[in-house]
Amino acid sequence: MEERLQKFMARCGVASRRHCEQLIADGQVKVNGRVVTEPGTRIRPGKDVVVVNGRLLRQPKKKVYYMLYKPRGYLSAVADPAGRKLVTDLLPDVKQRIYPVGRLDYDSEGLLLLTNDGALTRALTHPSSKVSKTYRVRVQGIPSWRSLEQLAQGIELADGLTAPATVGLIDVLNGNALLEITIHEGRNRQVRRMCEAIGHPVLRLKRIRFGPLNLGKMKAGEFRELKNHEIRALLAAARLL
């Protein structure tokens, strides 16, 4: 079955379709040894030889997408020299080699996406993506309204001012507040550092939403494959559609 060249390139993880179109127009793509400059050129994946900047593209393996409720005490990685438990240990029957998209701290829990779709991973984790992530955060003490406004407007951290966030006070239990915080950045331990900056360290942190995905009623350690409409929504959020 034939396929448009830029779509095949995007499936192989070269870049977004729009960027692939530009690579074709710039003369950086060869099909069967011939430079092709016309986006929309149709090829036969698996039969035609496509080379981008000297790199031979191979027919990608089946892409899979899983949503996991990461428990606390697991590392968002596929290997660890210290021998700590890994999120991939929770998906032992998945045959494909999958990778977590972004990170959740070792002591954090909640929604984690795992996939072998390299293009989607790069798009979702790139600073320009601005895909929203929502967290339920139990903090020590009860922040003042002024402190919550600071979180929402932007907090000065060691690596610069944070972007505006959506912040709400959900509940108070035993003198500690439960906050819901939505951010559009992906800095290391960002939510924890934001809360520390206003003098209310995090006691427990759970991610409940990632872009169009919602953790729902999943329990710690559970995982499932994404549905087709969820995959399309993710691709749209990453501007890959």
Side-chain angles (χ1 to χ4, degrees):
M1 182 179 297
E2 291 188 342
E3 182 177 12
R4 286 180 298 165
L5 178 56
Q6 64 264 35
K7 182 179 179 181
F8 174 73
M9 290 168 58
R11 285 203 303 115
C12 291
V14 174
S16 68
R17 289 193 196 179
R18 183 172 299 178
H19 189 196
C20 289
E21 289 174 356
Q22 189 60 53
L23 291 173
I24 295 169
D26 290 344
Q28 299 182 50
V29 182
K30 291 182 179 181
V31 177
N32 298 327
R34 180 175 61 87
V35 174
V36 174
T37 58
E38 185 63 35
T41 298
R42 303 191 73 83
I43 65 162
R44 299 163 299 170
K47 294 184 178 180
D48 292 325
V49 178
V50 179
V51 176
V52 180
N53 287 327
R55 170 193 166 195
L56 174 64
L57 300 189
R58 300 185 183 279
Q59 178 79 336
K61 297 178 180 178
K62 178 187 176 183
K63 293 179 182 177
V64 293
Y65 308 83
Y66 290 91
M67 185 167 71
L68 167 72
Y69 185 145
K70 175 197 170 300
R72 291 182 292 174
Y74 280 79
L75 197 66
S76 298
V78 296
D80 180 41
R84 288 173 292 180
K85 293 182 291 186
L86 307 170
V87 291
T88 48
D89 296 337
L90 297 166
L91 295 86
D93 297 327
V94 176
K95 297 179 180 179
Q96 295 87 351
R97 186 169 178 80
I98 54 177
Y99 303 86
V101 178
R103 298 179 61 85
L104 272 177
D105 297 335
Y106 186 75
D107 293 324
S108 299
E109 61 187 298
L111 196 162
L112 185 66
L113 174 67
L114 297 103
T115 181
N116 59 357
D117 187 337
L120 177 63
T121 298
R122 286 190 292 274
L124 288 175
T125 55
H126 193 276
S128 66
S129 71
K130 297 183 180 180
V131 175
S132 65
K133 295 169 280 288
T134 301
Y135 301 83
R136 286 284 173 94
V137 189
R138 181 71 66 181
V139 298
Q140 184 176 351
I142 306 172
S144 66
W145 288 112
R146 176 57 185 153
S147 294
L148 297 179
E149 287 178 358
Q150 286 181 297
L151 285 181
Q153 293 171 3
I155 290 287
E156 189 68 45
L157 301 178
D159 50 357
L161 185 69
T162 62
T166 302
V167 181
L169 176 61
I170 304 301
D171 187 24
V172 173
L173 179 65
N174 298 328
N176 297 318
L178 177 64
L179 307 179
E180 184 168 293
I181 302 176
T182 299
I183 62 174
H184 300 84
E185 299 177 287
R187 305 190 200 183
N188 184 41
R189 298 175 63 85
Q190 180 174 337
V191 172
R192 290 182 181 274
R193 291 191 292 138
M194 288 170 62
C195 293
E196 288 171 1
I198 62 168
H200 295 275
V202 170
L203 301 175
R204 189 163 183 173
L205 185 150
K206 177 169 74 172
R207 183 157 64 199
I208 60 172
R209 283 192 293 274
F210 183 8
L213 302 181
N214 195 317
L215 189 62
K217 296 182 179 180
M218 292 181 70
K219 298 179 181 179
E222 290 184 345
F223 70 94
R224 66 172 178 84
E225 281 196 80
L226 295 189
K227 300 172 183 177
N228 287 335
H229 72 88
E230 292 174 321
I231 297 171
R232 289 194 297 271
L234 266 179
L235 293 172
R239 303 174 190 172
L240 295 177
L241 285 182

Short mmCIF file of all heavy atoms in Angstrom, two decimals, residues 150-176:
data_model
loop_
_atom_site.label_atom_id
_atom_site.label_comp_id
_atom_site.label_asym_id
_atom_site.label_seq_id
_atom_site.Cartn_x
_atom_site.Cartn_y
_atom_site.Cartn_z
N GLN A 150 0.79 33.53 44.12
CA GLN A 150 2.17 33.49 43.65
C GLN A 150 2.42 32.26 42.79
O GLN A 150 3.07 32.34 41.74
CB GLN A 150 3.14 33.49 44.85
CG GLN A 150 3.28 34.82 45.55
CD GLN A 150 4.27 34.73 46.69
OE1 GLN A 150 4.07 33.99 47.66
NE2 GLN A 150 5.36 35.47 46.60
N LEU A 151 1.91 31.11 43.25
CA LEU A 151 2.07 29.88 42.47
C LEU A 151 1.43 30.05 41.09
O LEU A 151 1.98 29.62 40.08
CB LEU A 151 1.40 28.70 43.19
CG LEU A 151 2.10 28.10 44.40
CD1 LEU A 151 1.29 26.93 44.94
CD2 LEU A 151 3.51 27.64 44.06
N ALA A 152 0.24 30.66 41.07
CA ALA A 152 -0.50 30.81 39.82
C ALA A 152 0.18 31.79 38.87
O ALA A 152 0.21 31.58 37.65
CB ALA A 152 -1.92 31.25 40.11
N GLN A 153 0.75 32.85 39.42
CA GLN A 153 1.33 33.89 38.58
C GLN A 153 2.74 33.55 38.11
O GLN A 153 3.18 34.00 37.06
CB GLN A 153 1.33 35.22 39.34
CG GLN A 153 -0.06 35.77 39.61
CD GLN A 153 -0.06 36.96 40.55
OE1 GLN A 153 1.00 37.43 40.97
NE2 GLN A 153 -1.24 37.45 40.89
N GLY A 154 3.45 32.75 38.90
CA GLY A 154 4.84 32.40 38.56
C GLY A 154 5.75 32.54 39.75
O GLY A 154 5.68 33.56 40.46
N ILE A 155 6.56 31.52 39.96
CA ILE A 155 7.49 31.50 41.11
C ILE A 155 8.92 31.54 40.58
O ILE A 155 9.27 30.82 39.63
CB ILE A 155 7.28 30.22 41.95
CG1 ILE A 155 5.93 30.27 42.68
CG2 ILE A 155 8.40 30.03 42.94
CD1 ILE A 155 5.89 31.22 43.84
N GLU A 156 9.76 32.34 41.20
CA GLU A 156 11.16 32.40 40.81
C GLU A 156 11.90 31.21 41.41
O GLU A 156 12.01 31.08 42.63
CB GLU A 156 11.80 33.71 41.29
CG GLU A 156 13.19 33.94 40.74
CD GLU A 156 13.19 34.19 39.23
OE1 GLU A 156 12.35 34.96 38.74
OE2 GLU A 156 14.06 33.58 38.55
N LEU A 157 12.40 30.32 40.52
CA LEU A 157 13.19 29.17 40.94
C LEU A 157 14.64 29.35 40.49
O LEU A 157 14.96 30.33 39.80
CB LEU A 157 12.61 27.88 40.34
CG LEU A 157 11.15 27.56 40.69
CD1 LEU A 157 10.70 26.29 39.99
CD2 LEU A 157 10.98 27.43 42.20
N ALA A 158 15.49 28.42 40.84
CA ALA A 158 16.90 28.53 40.48
C ALA A 158 17.09 28.57 38.97
O ALA A 158 18.05 29.18 38.48
CB ALA A 158 17.69 27.37 41.08
N ASP A 159 16.18 27.93 38.22
CA ASP A 159 16.31 27.91 36.76
C ASP A 159 15.34 28.89 36.09
O ASP A 159 15.01 28.74 34.93
CB ASP A 159 16.08 26.50 36.21
CG ASP A 159 14.81 25.86 36.74
OD1 ASP A 159 14.12 26.48 37.57
OD2 ASP A 159 14.49 24.73 36.31
N GLY A 160 14.89 29.90 36.84
CA GLY A 160 14.09 30.95 36.23
C GLY A 160 12.65 30.97 36.72
O GLY A 160 12.22 30.11 37.51
N LEU A 161 11.92 31.96 36.24
CA LEU A 161 10.52 32.15 36.62
C LEU A 161 9.64 31.10 35.96
O LEU A 161 9.75 30.85 34.75
CB LEU A 161 10.07 33.55 36.20
CG LEU A 161 8.66 33.98 36.62
CD1 LEU A 161 8.59 34.18 38.13
CD2 LEU A 161 8.28 35.28 35.90
N THR A 162 8.76 30.49 36.75
CA THR A 162 7.84 29.50 36.17
C THR A 162 6.74 30.21 35.40
O THR A 162 6.39 31.36 35.68
CB THR A 162 7.20 28.63 37.27
OG1 THR A 162 6.44 29.47 38.15
CG2 THR A 162 8.27 27.90 38.07
N ALA A 163 6.19 29.51 34.43
CA ALA A 163 5.07 30.05 33.65
C ALA A 163 3.82 30.06 34.51
O ALA A 163 3.73 29.34 35.52
CB ALA A 163 4.85 29.20 32.41
N PRO A 164 2.83 30.87 34.16
CA PRO A 164 1.58 30.88 34.92
C PRO A 164 0.97 29.49 35.02
O PRO A 164 1.05 28.68 34.09
CB PRO A 164 0.69 31.82 34.10
CG PRO A 164 1.65 32.75 33.43
CD PRO A 164 2.84 31.89 33.09
N ALA A 165 0.38 29.20 36.18
CA ALA A 165 -0.23 27.90 36.44
C ALA A 165 -1.65 28.11 36.93
O ALA A 165 -2.05 29.21 37.29
CB ALA A 165 0.59 27.14 37.48
N THR A 166 -2.42 27.03 36.92
CA THR A 166 -3.76 27.05 37.50
C THR A 166 -3.68 26.34 38.85
O THR A 166 -3.22 25.20 38.93
CB THR A 166 -4.78 26.33 36.60
OG1 THR A 166 -4.78 26.96 35.31
CG2 THR A 166 -6.17 26.40 37.19
N VAL A 167 -4.10 27.02 39.90
CA VAL A 167 -3.94 26.50 41.26
C VAL A 167 -5.25 26.60 42.01
O VAL A 167 -5.93 27.64 41.97
CB VAL A 167 -2.84 27.28 42.02
CG1 VAL A 167 -2.66 26.71 43.43
CG2 VAL A 167 -1.53 27.26 41.26
N GLY A 168 -5.64 25.54 42.69
CA GLY A 168 -6.85 25.56 43.50
C GLY A 168 -6.65 24.83 44.82
O GLY A 168 -5.89 23.87 44.89
N LEU A 169 -7.31 25.31 45.86
CA LEU A 169 -7.30 24.66 47.17
C LEU A 169 -8.50 23.71 47.21
O LEU A 169 -9.65 24.15 47.15
CB LEU A 169 -7.39 25.69 48.29
CG LEU A 169 -7.50 25.15 49.72
CD1 LEU A 169 -6.27 24.33 50.08
CD2 LEU A 169 -7.68 26.30 50.71
N ILE A 170 -8.25 22.41 47.31
CA ILE A 170 -9.29 21.40 47.20
C ILE A 170 -9.84 20.99 48.56
O ILE A 170 -11.04 20.82 48.76
CB ILE A 170 -8.76 20.15 46.46
CG1 ILE A 170 -8.21 20.53 45.08
CG2 ILE A 170 -9.87 19.10 46.32
CD1 ILE A 170 -9.22 21.19 44.17
N ASP A 171 -8.93 20.85 49.55
CA ASP A 171 -9.35 20.28 50.83
C ASP A 171 -8.29 20.59 51.88
O ASP A 171 -7.14 20.93 51.54
CB ASP A 171 -9.53 18.76 50.68
CG ASP A 171 -10.14 18.11 51.91
OD1 ASP A 171 -10.82 18.81 52.66
OD2 ASP A 171 -9.90 16.90 52.11
N VAL A 172 -8.69 20.47 53.14
CA VAL A 172 -7.74 20.58 54.25
C VAL A 172 -7.98 19.39 55.17
O VAL A 172 -9.12 19.10 55.55
CB VAL A 172 -7.92 21.89 55.03
CG1 VAL A 172 -7.03 21.90 56.27
CG2 VAL A 172 -7.60 23.09 54.15
N LEU A 173 -6.90 18.67 55.49
CA LEU A 173 -7.01 17.50 56.36
C LEU A 173 -5.87 17.52 57.36
O LEU A 173 -4.69 17.59 56.97
CB LEU A 173 -6.96 16.21 55.52
CG LEU A 173 -7.03 14.89 56.30
CD1 LEU A 173 -8.40 14.76 56.98
CD2 LEU A 173 -6.78 13.70 55.37
N ASN A 174 -6.23 17.48 58.65
CA ASN A 174 -5.22 17.47 59.73
C ASN A 174 -4.22 18.61 59.60
O ASN A 174 -3.02 18.44 59.83
CB ASN A 174 -4.48 16.12 59.75
CG ASN A 174 -5.40 14.95 60.05
OD1 ASN A 174 -6.38 15.09 60.78
ND2 ASN A 174 -5.10 13.80 59.46
N GLY A 175 -4.73 19.76 59.18
CA GLY A 175 -3.88 20.93 59.11
C GLY A 175 -3.01 21.02 57.87
O GLY A 175 -2.16 21.93 57.78
N ASN A 176 -3.19 20.10 56.92
CA ASN A 176 -2.42 20.12 55.68
C ASN A 176 -3.37 20.28 54.48
O ASN A 176 -4.43 19.65 54.44
CB ASN A 176 -1.61 18.83 55.52
CG ASN A 176 -0.58 18.68 56.62
OD1 ASN A 176 0.08 19.64 57.00
ND2 ASN A 176 -0.44 17.46 57.14
#
